[in-house]
Amino acid sequence: MESKVSEGGLNVTLTIRLLMHGKEVGSIIGKKGETVKKMREESGARINISEGNCPERIVTITGPTDAIFKAFAMIAYKFEEDITNSMSNSTATSKPPVTLRLVVPASQCGSLIGKGGSKIKEIRESTGAQVQVAGDMLPNSTERAVTISGTPDAIIQCVKQICVVMLESPPKGATIPYRPKPASTPVIFAGGQAYTIQGQYAIPHPDLTKLHQLAMQQTPFTPLGQTTPAFPGLDASPPASTHELTIPNDLIGCIIGRQGTKINEIRQMSGAQIKIANATEGSSERQITITGTPANISLAQYLINASSPDPDPHGKNTFTA
């Protein structure tokens, strides 16, 4: 957040950054951009949405404090409307809170938490909103995520108090802003070699090439007519293992691809069997089971990682031989 105070201190301009998932961004933009246009016009704030094929996007809101609070109110009420609409099709009885994630320079987080957590406790108690400051900085940045959740009114009050803290304690030193990384680093296999696509170039990837060759030679089923081991000292068909990954629902689309094209490509390239569990009601995650040789599994995991920016954020991987 930046603050510019003009002479006399009357006109305070703030910049607040929000981290949103693709689905949330779609809701803010609306059909043909009508929702965001209305928000800009009615609040008077500048609302910019980061470009890019990323599951996460940064929404930047800039303007005088009043305009920012109006824009925040509109976003919070829009999200509440989305929750209400999604509940009309589900059997859930309790209404989940509206949740927003602010991106705040780490140098300001100390003031937000306060001595022994006093400030954050005061904000929680006076607004009724839940506020959590992430312990770690966001990747490749000096910013942290601050998650606020509650009713739209509680969120608006909470944002007002956070803004006061930000204005009283400007960031120290240079801030390296968080930039969400693109959804995938495409991988192609050509002539038995693996390449990762970076910009306009295909970069040879020797480790992946070796893994691909190993995965293709060590299929769990011995090819017809092959009786000699593919590698000296290795069985032609090592025992198949199973590996499980837990993936957030909103990233599963990146892995499956349009009409299943991406997941089929991963199955073909890795030689592994990959099963994606059906979504269970009330759960925000899906289970992926990968079966094959260790080489099949390693390659499948790499390709799933390349399709999704954060495939296993909770470290719930389980490996069973």
Side-chain angles (χ1 to χ4, degrees):
M1 308 204 179
E2 305 149 17
S3 59
K4 298 173 207 150
V5 184
S6 70
E7 286 175 63
L10 296 171
N11 178 29
V12 180
T13 300
L14 268 178
T15 295
I16 294 190
R17 284 154 54 79
L18 285 164
L19 188 54
M20 289 189 192
H21 289 303
K23 200 170 156 190
E24 295 169 323
V25 170
S27 169
I28 295 292
I29 294 172
K31 270 188 189 149
K32 296 181 182 172
E34 280 170 16
T35 308
V36 75
K37 187 180 174 212
K38 189 180 174 199
M39 285 180 179
R40 285 174 179 137
E41 285 169 1
E42 291 187 17
S43 69
R46 283 212 315 270
I47 303 172
N48 289 325
I49 296 161
S50 68
E51 288 297 318
N53 172 27
C54 300
E56 287 185 320
R57 309 271 282 279
I58 296 280
V59 177
T60 308
I61 305 172
T62 307
T65 46
D66 286 355
I68 282 184
F69 300 148
K70 277 183 199 159
F72 251 96
M74 293 176 85
I75 290 171
Y77 282 113
K78 178 73 179 87
F79 283 177
E80 188 184 47
E81 189 188 306
D82 294 344
I83 290 168
T84 307
N85 292 342
S86 69
M87 283 189 69
S88 61
N89 307 325
S90 87
T91 53
T93 48
S94 60
K95 191 174 184 179
V98 173
T99 300
L100 293 175
R101 288 180 298 162
L102 307 186
V103 180
V104 175
S107 60
Q108 289 178 296
C109 288
S111 308
L112 188 55
I113 293 165
K115 202 169 187 180
S118 56
K119 188 69 198 171
I120 203 163
K121 188 177 176 219
E122 182 193 308
I123 294 174
R124 283 179 189 138
E125 286 172 358
S126 63
T127 65
Q130 277 300 314
V131 189
Q132 285 177 316
V133 179
D136 295 327
M137 288 192 255
L138 289 156
N140 306 316
S141 78
T142 57
E143 293 188 304
R144 289 201 215 172
V146 176
T147 305
I148 52 178
S149 57
T151 63
D153 291 339
I155 282 178
I156 296 155
Q157 292 309 315
C158 182
V159 167
K160 285 185 178 176
Q161 295 211 24
I162 288 172
C163 286
V164 170
V165 174
M166 298 302 147
L167 287 167
E168 287 172 354
S169 313
K172 298 170 193 72
T175 298
I176 301 168
Y178 172 59
R179 290 191 173 87
K181 72 174 190 175
S184 63
T185 310
V187 179
I188 56 168
F189 290 95
Q193 300 289 312
Y195 300 87
T196 50
I197 308 298
Q198 291 173 17
Q200 299 171 348
Y201 303 98
I203 314 292
H205 203 307
D207 294 345
L208 268 186
T209 301
K210 278 186 211 149
L211 199 52
H212 179 54
Q213 288 165 350
L214 195 60
M216 290 301 101
Q217 280 167 315
Q218 288 191 351
T219 47
F221 318 101
T222 307
L224 283 175
Q226 183 181 321
T227 49
T228 53
F231 290 88
L234 275 177
D235 283 342
S237 52
S241 315
T242 299
H243 190 86
E244 289 182 354
L245 288 172
T246 308
I247 302 227
N249 281 342
D250 38 21
L251 300 184
I252 210 82
C254 304
I255 292 159
I256 294 171
R258 190 171 282 175
Q259 295 176 333
T261 48
K262 190 82 202 157
I263 195 74
N264 285 338
E265 200 177 276
I266 294 172
R267 285 183 182 121
Q268 268 185 316
M269 287 181 185
S270 66
Q273 291 176 351
I274 303 169
K275 285 183 185 157
I276 298 174
N278 292 333
T280 51
E281 201 171 325
S283 170
S284 61
E285 297 171 331
R286 302 271 281 275
Q287 204 74 19
I288 293 186
T289 307
I290 309 168
T291 308
T293 65
N296 297 143
I297 290 171
S298 300
L299 188 53
Q301 262 190 287
Y302 178 88
L303 295 166
I304 287 170
N305 267 292
S307 309
S308 139
D310 189 10
D312 185 33
H314 311 302
K316 286 185 188 161
N317 283 3
T318 55
F319 186 91
T320 50

